Amino acid sequence: MKELLNDAAARSLRYLESLSERPVAPSPGAVTALRAFDTPLSPGPTDDRETLRLLDEVGSPATTAMAGPRFFGFVIGGSLPVTLAANWLAGAWDQNTGLFRPTPGTAYLEQVALRWLLEVLRLPPGCGGAFVTGATVANLCGLAAARHAVLARVGWNVEADGLFGAPPVTIVIGAEAHPSVTKSLGLLGLGRTRVVKVPVDGQGRMRSECLPVISGPTIVCVQAGNVNTGAFDPIAEVCASVQPSGAWVHVDGAFGLWAAAAPTLAHLVNGISSADSWATDAHKWLNVPYDSGLAFVRDPHALQAAMAITAEYLPTQSDQRNPGDFTPELSRRARGVEVWAALRSLGRSGLADLIGRNCAQARRFAEKLSAAGFEILNDVVLNQVLVSFGDADRTKRVIEAIQADGTCWAGITVWQGRTAMRISVSSWATTDADVDRSVAAMVRLNHATA
Ligand SMILES: *Cc1c(COP(=O)(O)O)cnc(C)c1O
């Protein structure tokens, strides 16, 4: 075991050390070579060292350098070194962190991490929280708590009786809501399209003057950080407008919620703490390994009512927090360990620096690309930049050239009818020099693209 794990550590280090110079995307040859994995299932045991060797020699080249400094696709953070180390140790612990009693160490780390998170994200200190796989499931948790609460207020127990015969629930979302919100609504029986859509402005922000008149059980979904522009819905205004009529406000803040941790950006989240539930990711901007998302609910009982589990064989009785009473999963890995390690390592100022630095780097991208003659389609308020290289076809071809070149990686989107390259700066590993090197490659490849 010792030799095997030392070998895994050595191989991991070699991989990580190669990331800043290797092409960001895997070569087509590396992808073809994956066939080496597809052997007939071995009739008996095989050598473990050989299994690891094959994983590294065939698997590592077929990865995208998402953990490296010049991956700007989607919204992808790297892994802070201390979080990868914590992940290895927690893997060795192999704790099934559903219940406190059998796994006090990892369950306790989650309690502390939750308190720290509420502090840095400037959310109400009494919130309930769930450590889940990502913002999709965090949205599901927040909306499940919302569904419980708005129906309980009109005397309906949705966990017991389902939605058959229940009073109707009005769902209000912005026209640019993330698809994970609509997916969660579908899973909860609230319907992906049975929603009232509020029109948005040119940055994707909900126009609060267009909110419907609220009556009866209602959930309003707002967004902190549009996945294309980084823009924030006017959340304080929405809360002030709909909460007096009893509506529940849920915030999808998969990456935008972290603006609260940087004093220079905190104006973006003003008033956000008056909402009722919030979803965010730790695997994006907190830079912990996949998968790691977080849900927070002002009234912990609403979340617990939606998620709690009991059975004779489960030691659920505890005066401590049972993680599995707040999440869709029962058996689960101890995601809070890496979150705790990241926050302890960075401290308040380190986290503020990380968030602020990535936003400054997004502005650096925008300034340099604009100076090179390209159009920036969004107001760069956070870490997202939308770039046009001309018409849709040309922009598409330049992005393909950038991805094939391998200096950096950025994805494609269509923003309000215009094809654009999306740059998302979300990694602890990105330096200003990485931004400059990426801009130089983009300028070069634009010239080379006819
Ligand atoms: C990434 C993202 C999500 C989904 O998060 P996952 O971690 O992929 O589940 C939801 N909303 C927004 C705004 C996002 O950026």
Side-chain angles (χ1 to χ4, degrees):
M1 168 136 63
K2 195 168 175 180
E3 191 197 326
L4 185 69
L5 294 184
N6 277 331
D7 190 24
R11 288 179 186 277
S12 302
L13 270 178
R14 272 206 297 282
Y15 175 77
L16 291 173
E17 283 167 1
S18 76
L19 285 183
S20 74
E21 292 314 316
R22 59 158 272 189
V24 178
S27 70
V31 177
T32 309
L34 286 169
R35 285 198 209 110
F37 286 143
D38 190 10
T39 57
L41 177 61
S42 163
T46 61
D47 181 43
D48 290 344
R49 287 166 308 180
E50 181 59 17
T51 297
L52 186 67
R53 185 193 64 75
L54 195 63
L55 277 175
D56 188 25
E57 290 182 5
V58 177
S60 294
T63 60
T64 298
M66 290 181 171
R70 290 185 305 282
F71 184 87
F72 304 110
F74 314 107
V75 187
I76 300 264
S79 294
L80 290 161
V82 75
T83 66
L84 180 58
N87 173 278
W88 287 351
L89 188 59
W93 290 347
D94 195 23
Q95 298 290 284
N96 181 339
T97 309
L99 306 172
F100 188 93
R101 268 214 257 159
T103 55
T106 48
Y108 191 73
L109 281 164
E110 285 198 0
Q111 287 182 29
V112 178
L114 174 58
R115 200 185 78 231
W116 287 356
L117 286 163
L118 295 174
E119 207 178 297
V120 295
L121 298 173
R122 303 201 292 160
L123 298 178
C127 281
F131 293 76
V132 293
T133 52
T136 302
V137 176
N139 278 323
L140 179 82
C141 291
L143 292 169
R147 185 182 69 159
H148 168 84
V150 298
L151 284 172
R153 279 184 220 142
V154 291
W156 188 266
N157 182 341
V158 69
E159 282 72 34
D161 299 323
L163 285 170
F164 303 100
V169 180
T170 304
I171 309 293
V172 180
I173 67 173
E176 288 286 353
H178 192 271
S180 65
V181 171
T182 39
K183 174 173 174 171
S184 298
L185 291 169
L187 287 169
L188 288 164
L190 297 167
R192 289 191 184 207
T193 57
R194 188 194 151 280
V195 295
V196 180
K197 267 196 195 173
V198 179
V200 295
D201 67 12
Q203 299 300 313
R205 290 174 296 226
M206 198 184 253
R207 290 170 49 195
S208 54
E209 76 276 15
C210 300
L211 282 164
V213 175
I214 307 290
S215 72
T218 302
I219 302 168
V220 180
C221 305
V222 292
Q223 177 164 259
N226 175 282
V227 78
N228 283 306
T229 64
F232 287 64
D233 283 340
I235 298 175
E237 277 169 64
V238 173
C239 289
S241 155
V242 305
Q243 282 176 326
S245 318
W248 177 291
V249 178
H250 171 75
V251 182
D252 175 6
F255 59 98
L257 212 56
W258 296 93
T264 51
L265 299 164
H267 60 279
L268 292 169
V269 295
N270 259 344
I272 210 172
S273 63
S274 46
D276 299 283
S277 56
W278 304 262
T280 193
D281 266 314
H283 58 217
K284 287 179 180 167
W285 227 344
L286 189 59
N287 279 257
V288 306
Y290 287 97
D291 44 23
S292 189
L294 303 154
F296 308 106
V297 179
R298 174 186 297 278
D299 174 9
H301 304 295
L303 179 60
Q304 198 166 359
M307 299 293 165
I309 187 164
T310 53
E312 286 305 325
Y313 83 100
L314 295 173
T316 48
Q317 295 310 312
S318 171
D319 51 2
Q320 300 284 351
R321 174 183 180 278
N322 282 319
D325 279 345
F326 298 89
T327 56
E329 305 90 356
L330 175 57
S331 294
R332 48 191 292 282
R333 75 180 189 92
R335 294 189 180 82
V337 177
E338 299 131 10
V339 173
W340 178 88
L343 292 172
R344 185 176 193 278
S345 165
L346 292 167
R348 258 180 227 285
S349 66
L351 182 61
D353 286 350
L354 168 62
I355 305 299
R357 184 169 72 242
N358 283 166
C359 293
Q361 288 165 338
R363 291 193 300 273
R364 188 181 183 95
F365 261 120
E367 280 155 20
K368 298 210 163 204
L369 290 169
S370 174
F374 308 127
E375 189 184 356
I376 306 300
L377 301 184
N378 65 319
D379 297 340
V380 182
V381 294
L382 201 67
N383 61 338
Q384 308 295 121
V385 188
L386 297 177
V387 190
S388 165
F389 293 100
D391 64 19
D393 185 54
R394 182 175 173 83
T395 297
K396 189 161 168 272
R397 277 183 289 124
V398 176
I399 296 169
E400 278 164 6
I402 289 167
Q403 292 178 356
D405 167 74
T407 305
C408 63
W409 201 100
I412 191 167
T413 192
V414 177
W415 174 246
Q416 297 189 343
R418 295 198 56 191
T419 298
M421 180 173 76
R422 282 182 76 253
I423 297 173
S424 175
V425 193
S426 326
S427 175
W428 71 277
T430 302
T431 63
D432 289 357
D434 288 309
V435 174
D436 296 351
R437 192 167 151 188
S438 302
V439 169
M442 289 167 184
V443 170
R444 169 170 56 80
L445 292 157
N446 172 66
H447 288 312
T449 304

